[in-house]
Amino acid sequence: MQEPQFMSHATLTAFGAYVPERVLSNADMEQIVETSDEWIVQRTGIHERRIAAEDEYCSDLCFAAIRNMQARYGSVLTDVDFILVATSSPDTFFPSMSARIQAEFGIGACGAADIQAACAGFVTALQLANGLLLTGVHRKILVVGAETLSKITDYTDRTTCILFGDGAGVALLERSDEGAFIGSYVSTSGEDSHQLYRSSLSSSINGQPITPNGKIIQNGREVYKWAVSQLPKGISAIMERYGYDTADLDWFVPHSANMRIIDSVCEKTGIPVEKTLTSIAAYGNTSAASIPLALDLAMKESRIKTGDLVLLYGFGGGLTEAALLMRWTL
Ligand SMILES: CC(C)(COP(=O)(O)OP(=O)(O)OC[C@H]1O[C@@H](n2cnc3c(N)ncnc32)[C@H](O)[C@@H]1OP(=O)(O)O)[C@@H](O)C(=O)NCCC(=O)NCCS
């Protein structure tokens, strides 16, 4: 049976980002846990991360990223009709970060929901926004990826604390006759969800006991193996499904989890590493914020340009994957 045709009426019309001022370098990490700059760079590609101030929360990062977008594009937000925020580290579970944004920016009647799909959150939110625009009811949607992972990181666990950082990015999507999204791909491996989690009310996942400290816990080796085996399969699935080849890509934007994962995926798929956009070196793993931060860095360096063919690929806790093939319209 032929695949149903992918439909899109979404166009990207503005973009913004924010990272907190405080820098936590690998040298600083050496003062917190037994580690070294050499080990961290070699195993992860991370040089430093940004850390939110004690009284700075996820909602503050969302507001700052949106203000940055307004300053760059002069975007009018009063007529936004839906707000989606992807985050695993909101300052409150409810109200949602998206409801806080509605109030902060004086947006009128609109929908507001936070999306929890861990590091695949931003791409998942873009996919959902495309669906909302397709209904014909919605015309202008704010999609935010924002994290204050430093507030849920266990700084006594050297295998995880060296990875994570804070930041936020925002995309404004508007309905257009010809959408810029070309195709999407999703996959979930819930049977492996206990390999990467943050505990909440229950003390077990998949029948396995979990550490109930509210911090990020992961089996790094298992997550690594999962990512390097899943991503090449997902990449060839999305490219084949929509009639493209990896050689057609101008940019591959994987979640900035770890440079070694990205190198391995590039090697397996034949995507040149030079064609990847990442935020890992400067910001570490910022979960739902890492893809918008990578896009923001690429815009500031004038690397990405209008019309470029871009593959976004989020993956992480869940374990979830969400990919989107799109034309860059900024
Ligand atoms: C976390 C990660 C960097 C650890 O690298 P690794 O090569 O798998 O390391 P291991 O856990 O096998 O440990 C190797 C050794 O380094 C040590 N080590 C772990 N963390 C260390 C650190 N920060 N500094 C120095 N040594 C460290 C371990 O204790 C171990 O020592 P041993 O061999 O004496 O027992 C890696 O597993 C990884 O990147 N996983 C994916 C994580 C990820 O991206 N998660 C997010 C997905 S969204």
Side-chain angles (χ1 to χ4, degrees):
M1 200 180 76
Q2 221 191 340
E3 289 280 350
Q5 206 193 341
F6 185 86
M7 291 193 288
S8 166
H9 284 307
T11 301
L12 182 63
T13 57
F15 210 87
Y18 170 78
V19 288
E21 262 171 50
R22 189 181 153 210
V23 174
L24 188 68
S25 68
N26 289 348
D28 297 328
M29 270 294 168
E30 289 173 7
Q31 308 303 310
I32 300 172
V33 284
E34 201 184 326
T35 191
S36 67
D37 174 56
E38 194 193 353
W39 193 96
I40 299 172
V41 172
Q42 199 235 327
R43 301 284 175 128
T44 69
I46 298 168
H47 290 262
E48 54 189 44
R49 321 115 190 95
R50 297 302 180 97
I51 304 295
E54 219 162 293
D55 60 353
E56 189 178 33
Y57 293 96
C58 185
S59 55
D60 300 308
L61 272 56
C62 294
F63 301 161
I66 294 169
R67 288 204 178 93
N68 173 262
M69 179 180 80
Q70 288 182 305
R72 283 156 68 177
Y73 293 89
S75 310
V76 174
L77 300 181
T78 44
D79 57 347
V80 161
D81 53 38
F82 219 103
I83 306 168
L84 294 170
V85 177
T87 185
S88 302
S89 47
D91 19 322
T92 49
F93 286 111
F94 60 90
S96 59
M97 298 300 96
S98 37
R100 301 281 308 281
I101 291 169
Q102 180 272 326
E104 179 74 13
F105 291 91
I107 297 171
C110 76
D114 288 1
I115 305 298
Q116 206 295 89
C119 309
F122 184 73
V123 181
T124 303
L126 290 177
Q127 292 169 336
L128 294 175
N130 183 52
L132 288 168
L133 291 168
L134 278 176
T135 63
V137 172
H138 300 284
R139 310 198 71 83
K140 197 169 183 180
I141 303 183
L142 265 181
V143 177
V144 184
E147 302 285 6
T148 48
L149 296 181
S150 63
K151 299 193 190 291
I152 57 166
T153 293
D154 178 357
Y155 285 98
T156 64
D157 176 3
R158 68 176 181 168
T159 67
T160 58
C161 72
I162 49 125
L163 297 171
F164 299 112
D166 303 336
V170 55
L172 186 63
L173 293 184
E174 293 189 59
R175 188 179 159 90
S176 65
D177 288 341
E178 203 161 311
F181 293 181
I182 296 166
S184 73
Y185 169 86
V186 288
S187 179
T188 304
S189 314
E191 56 285 357
D192 291 323
S193 49
H194 54 284
Q195 307 291 7
L196 174 57
Y197 62 87
R198 179 195 175 196
S199 62
S200 182
L201 299 177
S202 162
S203 55
S204 72
I205 300 175
N206 292 337
Q208 316 243 7
I210 60 169
T211 310
N213 65 1
K215 304 288 186 190
I216 303 168
I217 309 281
Q218 78 167 341
N219 183 339
R221 238 180 241 190
E222 289 305 317
V223 176
Y224 185 96
K225 280 196 280 183
W226 169 81
V228 298
S229 88
Q230 286 296 111
L231 265 67
K233 289 188 255 175
I235 292 167
S236 52
I238 188 170
M239 300 310 280
E240 272 169 34
R241 188 182 293 167
Y242 299 105
Y244 288 85
D245 188 88
T246 50
D248 301 326
L249 287 174
D250 292 297
W251 300 109
F252 172 45
V253 196
H255 162 49
S256 283
N258 175 325
M259 205 55 217
R260 269 201 312 157
I261 293 179
I262 296 169
D263 285 339
S264 165
V265 170
C266 284
E267 202 182 301
K268 287 184 180 182
T269 55
I271 300 174
V273 164
E274 306 75 54
K275 283 196 170 185
T276 61
L277 300 177
T278 70
S279 52
I280 190 83
Y283 303 139
N285 179 340
T286 54
S287 193
S290 90
I291 288 177
L293 287 176
L295 290 164
D296 188 62
L297 287 174
M299 277 186 273
K300 286 182 178 143
E301 293 162 3
S302 304
R303 298 179 76 193
I304 191 165
K305 54 182 196 312
T306 314
D308 279 356
L309 183 67
V310 181
L311 176 63
L312 311 181
Y313 206 119
F315 60 93
L319 302 170
T320 47
E321 294 165 75
L324 186 68
L325 189 62
M326 66 180 286
R327 288 276 169 203
W328 195 249
T329 52
L330 290 178

